[in-house]
Amino acid sequence: MMTVNEVAQQLNVSISLIYKLAEKQLIPCYRIGAGRGSLRFRQEDVEEYLASRRIEPRSTSQRQSRSLRHLN
């Protein structure tokens, strides 16, 4: 299990962003301990989140048609 800090370091983002992603349930996590507790993440869940955020490159024809939209 990974801590918030470890996930933030792995993704090269802020700790507050990891808390927001967990709050919005975009990355599954576990709350360990009493009260608010501590958040823990599985490596597999972090990898799935990262894969789900991938933006695929467009083909050349798609890029040209979008960039020339104002000429239509």
Side-chain angles (χ1 to χ4, degrees):
M1 301 289 268
M2 300 171 64
T3 65
V4 171
N5 201 13
E6 291 169 336
V7 174
Q9 286 179 350
Q10 180 179 341
L11 299 181
N12 197 28
V13 298
S14 69
I15 292 171
S16 62
L17 178 60
I18 301 304
Y19 279 113
K20 288 176 187 175
L21 294 172
E23 181 182 326
K24 293 180 179 183
Q25 299 179 350
L26 295 173
I27 298 181
C29 64
Y30 297 87
R31 192 169 294 280
I32 310 295
R36 292 192 61 178
S38 298
L39 297 182
R40 295 292 182 267
F41 302 83
R42 292 185 328 161
Q43 179 66 40
E44 299 84 15
D45 292 333
V46 174
E47 290 170 5
E48 283 181 30
Y49 168 75
L50 195 56
S52 75
R53 306 312 299 166
R54 181 179 169 92
I55 298 173
E56 296 293 333
R58 289 185 235 127
S59 68
T60 305
S61 62
Q62 287 176 326
R63 273 186 261 149
Q64 288 176 346
S65 66
R66 286 191 71 147
S67 63
L68 302 178
R69 186 184 304 170
H70 67 284
L71 298 178
N72 292 336

